[in-house]
């Protein structure tokens, strides 16, 4: 296989990533679009997934979301779910323009926050012929209720309002930590497992930064991809869920899966939110590759 650096424009912003090309192809091949979750960058295991998919004969496009990693865009470290979903759709358009790729056989893969993105994109963009959502974010509202005690919500909402006023007046966006091992430090993704996962990737993902704009967490609270899940059909849909996921809660994912229509498949793995990338990488990567093979190679 061959990996090349690529870039394409989405909503006026240059997004950068990699294109994996399978070896020994004599005709056009299907392709898969991939991007990472909340604050994450492509070096945090997406290359490993892409290698598995490419070895099965797929072109694979992996890129960083706008404002993160190698991609351009400001404010830096700001997660905008609407822009990120549009990035997926522009990535599809970019792939369809490339030689050697069958524009009618394109699948999308997402994980965590982007697992929610691909649910919504697949529901509204019929160019998508197959979708895999791994430990997906289903409801920002429901997740936020579990991550923050109710008595702390008024203070958080006040912080959002104050940040909006400051930005309106020309100030820089307020920044918080993405993860922390100190319970007293406000961060976007609470829990020891979150902190350990990201800290363990720093040696091979230097572009990841332990910061995110405060507004990103407000935009996350507004994000509701689960509302679209019944509209994915007839596009084939695979959901991969951890049985003890506290970030994208297991019960929320399973309830959403029940609302999806056929054709669909559920793969359950042991462990929490970050186990798909390491402990269960073989299971999760092969399940996704099998799903793409089944529905893009026919």
């Amino acid at each position: 296989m061959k990996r090349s650096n690529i870039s394409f424009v989405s909503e006026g912003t240059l997004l950068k990533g990699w294109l994996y090309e399978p070896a020994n192809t004599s005709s056009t091949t299907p392709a898969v679009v991939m991007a990472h979750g909340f604050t994450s960058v492509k070096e945090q295991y997406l290359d490993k997934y892409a290698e598995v998919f490419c070895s099965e004969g797929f072109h694979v496009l992996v890129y960083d979301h706008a404002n993160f990693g190698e991609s351009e865009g400001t404010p830096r470290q700001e997660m905008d779910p609407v822009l990120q979903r549009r990035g997926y759709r522009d990535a599809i358009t970019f792939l369809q323009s490339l030689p050697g790729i069958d524009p009618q056989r394109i699948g999308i893969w997402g994980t965590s926050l982007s697992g929610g993105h691909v649910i919504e994109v697949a529901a509204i963009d019929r160019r998508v012929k197959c979708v895999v959502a791994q430990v997906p974010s289903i409801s920002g509202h429901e997740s936020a209720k579990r991550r923050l005690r109710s008595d702390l919500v008024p203070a958080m909402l006040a912080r959002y309002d104050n940040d909006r006023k400051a930005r309106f007046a020309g100030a820089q966006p307020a920044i918080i930590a993405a993860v922390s091992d100190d319970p007293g430090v406000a961060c976007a993704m609470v829990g020891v497992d979150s902190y350990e996962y990201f800290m363990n990737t720093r040696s091979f993902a230097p572009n990841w930064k332990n910061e995110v704009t405060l507004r990103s967490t407000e935009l996350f609270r507004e994000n509701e991809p689960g509302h679209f899940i019944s509209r994915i059909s007839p596009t084939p849909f695979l959901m991969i869920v951890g049985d003890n996921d506290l970030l994208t809660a297991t019960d929320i994912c399973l309830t959403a899966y029940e609302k999806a229509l056929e054709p669909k498949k559920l793969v359950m793995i042991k462990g929490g939110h970050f186990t798909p990338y390491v402990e269960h990488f073989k299971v999760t990567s092969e399940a996704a590759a099998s799903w793409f093979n089944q529905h893009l190679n026919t």
Side-chain angles (χ1 to χ4, degrees):
M1 73 180 68
K2 175 185 175 183
R3 189 178 87 178
S4 305
N5 295 327
I6 56 86
S7 61
F8 61 96
V9 175
S10 179
E11 299 293 309
T13 297
L14 191 66
L15 305 186
K16 298 182 180 181
W18 302 315
L19 179 67
Y20 289 78
E21 301 176 63
N24 303 321
T25 56
S26 58
S27 60
T28 57
T29 70
V32 176
V33 177
M34 304 177 63
H36 221 316
F38 193 86
T39 79
S40 299
V41 293
K42 62 186 183 300
E43 291 83 2
Q44 289 166 314
Y45 299 108
L46 292 202
D47 51 345
K48 303 303 182 186
Y49 281 94
E51 289 168 3
V52 171
F53 302 157
C54 189
S55 69
E56 293 290 323
F58 299 98
H59 278 78
V60 186
L61 175 61
V62 183
Y63 67 95
D64 286 327
H65 291 299
N67 309 333
F68 291 91
E70 291 186 334
S71 289
E72 297 180 2
T74 56
R76 297 304 295 173
Q77 299 301 117
E78 178 150 294
M79 185 286 300
D80 185 328
V82 174
L83 288 179
Q84 291 188 356
R85 288 191 292 271
R86 290 174 180 172
Y88 265 97
R89 302 185 73 182
D90 289 329
I92 294 170
T93 302
F94 172 67
L95 270 182
Q96 289 182 323
S97 73
L98 298 179
I101 293 174
D102 186 341
Q104 301 304 315
R105 293 189 291 160
I106 292 181
I108 56 177
W109 179 101
T111 187
S112 191
L113 181 71
S114 68
H117 294 342
V118 297
I119 288 172
E120 186 166 338
V121 171
I124 62 180
D125 194 328
R126 290 303 165 190
R127 296 177 301 170
V128 176
K129 302 306 180 187
C130 185
V131 56
V132 176
Q134 178 172 279
V135 291
S137 177
I138 298 296
S139 170
H141 175 70
E142 291 299 323
S143 294
K145 287 197 301 184
R146 300 189 185 200
R147 296 184 190 183
L148 188 65
R149 295 199 329 252
S150 59
D151 60 310
L152 299 178
V153 171
M156 177 61 75
L157 297 180
R159 289 188 68 186
Y160 293 151
D161 292 342
N162 291 335
D163 180 53
R164 182 172 288 103
K165 290 177 184 178
R167 292 168 70 137
F168 185 77
Q172 291 298 307
I175 299 290
I176 63 172
V179 296
S180 176
D181 60 348
D182 184 348
V185 173
C187 65
M189 291 174 281
V190 298
V192 174
D193 58 338
S194 299
Y195 180 80
E196 291 181 347
Y197 166 79
F198 282 101
M199 292 304 108
N200 287 338
T201 68
R202 302 198 87 165
S203 63
F204 52 85
N207 284 332
W208 179 77
K209 295 183 178 180
N210 189 16
E211 58 184 43
V212 66
T213 65
L214 177 64
R215 182 171 182 251
S216 298
T217 64
E218 182 180 29
L219 294 173
F220 174 83
R221 290 170 63 94
E222 301 169 3
N223 191 41
E224 296 292 331
H227 290 172
F228 291 81
I229 200 164
S230 65
R231 292 167 51 184
I232 295 174
S233 179
T235 302
F237 172 53
L238 170 66
M239 184 187 284
I240 300 173
V241 180
D243 68 356
N244 191 32
D245 194 329
L246 302 180
L247 275 182
T248 55
T250 303
D251 63 303
I252 295 177
C253 289
L254 295 179
T255 298
Y257 177 79
E258 290 302 312
K259 297 178 182 178
L261 306 180
E262 298 289 348
K264 63 179 181 178
K265 182 178 180 180
L266 175 67
V267 172
M268 294 291 298
I269 59 172
K270 294 290 185 182
H273 189 70
F274 299 99
T275 58
Y277 311 109
V278 185
E279 293 94 328
H280 299 303
F281 171 76
K282 180 177 174 62
V283 172
T284 58
S285 61
E286 291 182 354
S290 175
W291 193 249
F292 288 135
N293 263 318
Q294 180 180 348
H295 297 287
L296 296 179
N297 275 323
T298 57

